[in-house]
Amino acid sequence: MDLPLRRTLHQLRNTRDLRAEILSLAASLLATRAEGELVVTDPIISPATVRREWQQLLPALAAEVRGRMSLVVEPPTLRLGEKRVDYEIGASLQQLQKPNYRFEILRQLLRADLEDAGPQPVKALLDAIGASQTPIRAALAELDEAGIVRRRGRYVSVRAEEISAELLAKLQAAPQTLRYRFERGAQIKPPAVLLRRALALLGSSAPAGWQDLALSGVAVARADVPELDLLGLPRLDLLVQLPRAAQTFDPALLRRLDDGLEPEPSLLAPAPVVLTVARADTTLLRDAPVDGARSARSVDVYLSLLELGLAAQALQYLEAVRA
């Protein structure tokens, strides 16, 4: 059996060096079957920051490698009366739910319906979502039993008109949403101001972490269908496509939009920014139509209108997009 690989970082001062060491350890494990351990001793940055960076980077590594990696953080032993100040980078990570394959299947079938792609073979769903057959076929069987999915041999389809926010909730097929509010004392910005800032972050020179985000909701719906019966911008909707293995999301990304934003834990409280999480391997984004900003496809815009409670406008959008 190969001997374990052990790396040590002493008095770590920044997350850049930490990420570099994690990737170096992972690369070393590719050529061996050994276990790998990263030991961080007496870090200057806080242990919470170290663990958060570890959790955030690990899903990007091959499953076979990350399964053999472990982290040990050894803060210093303080003498009586001695104090130590660690500084923490970023905010606490938000936990992500496991991928909801009922939603991911409906999302792919709704995309096919809105884009006139016709019924889809089950294999196409497997390839687009990227998960193994067992969870996908189990979720598809549940949707089939509920009478939502139409079958024609090996092909399946749905009709967008038959999908509602209430039905998604009943079937437990709604996506996870991450909601953000202005923290106490922050200057509250209207959604239109947040939209202008988002457009700058969603262009070709997107900052780190924003490449997987896209504009969605009313802003894109109105650009797609100018005659849509909508007044104002009720909130800023964004879509984020994350790997299925991802377990956390860093809300510090939203600080680039406005440094006064923080997570809103209540699903019932109003939120000026709402992030819808998608977990399929196939990216459903486009570079139009709002000022060149990366935007969600029509299926995600349609779903965001339903989630907003704009059922009539969602149907109007659906008819216009199909036409």
Side-chain angles (χ1 to χ4, degrees), residues 2 12 63 68 97 110 119 131 133 163 174 271 317:
D2 295 329
L12 179 69
R68 293 184 280 127
Q97 300 166 1
L110 284 169
Q133 290 196 31
I163 304 300
Y317 177 79

Side-chain angles (χ1 to χ4, degrees), residues 11 15 23 38 81 124 153-154 181 224 252-253 260 275 304:
Q11 292 194 335
T15 57
L23 293 176
L38 179 60
R154 296 181 180 179
R181 66 189 180 193
D224 282 336
L253 285 177
L275 203 64
S304 68

Side-chain angles (χ1 to χ4, degrees), residues 17 34 95 115 163 196 200 229 263:
D17 291 344
Q95 292 299 312
E115 298 178 7
I163 304 300
R196 289 197 294 271
D229 184 18

Side-chain angles (χ1 to χ4, degrees), residues 220-240:
V220 182
R222 187 181 287 126
D224 282 336
V225 186
E227 64 274 16
L228 207 59
D229 184 18
L230 288 168
L231 292 175
L233 186 68
R235 70 187 192 193
L236 178 67
D237 276 278
L238 298 170
L239 174 77
V240 59

Side-chain angles (χ1 to χ4, degrees), residues 61-252:
L61 306 177
E64 192 277 330
V65 172
R66 68 171 179 263
R68 293 184 280 127
M69 294 176 61
S70 60
L71 172 71
V72 176
V73 183
E74 297 179 351
T77 302
L78 301 181
R79 295 173 182 161
L80 185 62
E82 188 177 9
K83 292 184 178 180
R84 176 183 178 86
V85 178
D86 294 321
Y87 67 90
E88 185 165 354
I89 299 176
S92 299
L93 295 182
Q94 292 178 271
Q95 292 299 312
L96 295 175
Q97 300 166 1
K98 293 181 179 180
N100 185 338
Y101 292 120
R102 288 186 292 275
F103 164 71
E104 297 297 345
I105 289 170
L106 283 177
R107 181 173 178 247
Q108 295 295 330
L109 295 180
L110 284 169
R111 177 199 60 78
D113 185 41
L114 266 66
E115 298 178 7
D116 198 25
Q120 298 293 295
V122 175
K123 186 179 184 305
L125 297 179
L126 294 169
D127 293 341
I129 297 171
S132 62
Q133 290 196 31
T134 301
I136 298 297
R137 291 188 181 277
L140 186 57
E142 292 167 351
L143 294 173
D144 196 6
E145 184 178 351
I148 303 304
V149 173
R150 289 180 168 87
R151 280 189 179 270
R152 187 184 302 167
R154 296 181 180 179
Y155 289 76
V156 290
S157 64
V158 297
R159 291 290 291 172
E161 294 90 340
E162 299 175 0
I163 304 300
S164 65
E166 294 77 16
L167 180 62
L168 292 174
K170 180 180 178 181
L171 297 175
Q172 296 184 341
Q176 181 178 8
T177 57
L178 304 175
R179 306 164 66 82
Y180 300 90
R181 66 189 180 193
F182 287 101
E183 63 188 14
R184 182 175 298 179
Q187 182 181 358
I188 295 176
K189 317 290 193 311
V193 172
L194 295 175
L195 171 61
R196 289 197 294 271
R197 295 186 177 187
L199 294 179
L201 294 168
L202 294 169
S204 56
S205 57
W210 274 76
Q211 295 89 342
D212 297 324
L213 273 72
L215 188 64
S216 186
V218 168
V220 182
R222 187 181 287 126
D224 282 336
V225 186
E227 64 274 16
L228 207 59
D229 184 18
L230 288 168
L231 292 175
L233 186 68
R235 70 187 192 193
L236 178 67
D237 276 278
L238 298 170
L239 174 77
V240 59
Q241 293 222 164
L242 297 176
R244 286 177 293 105
Q247 298 178 343
T248 57
F249 178 78
D250 190 353

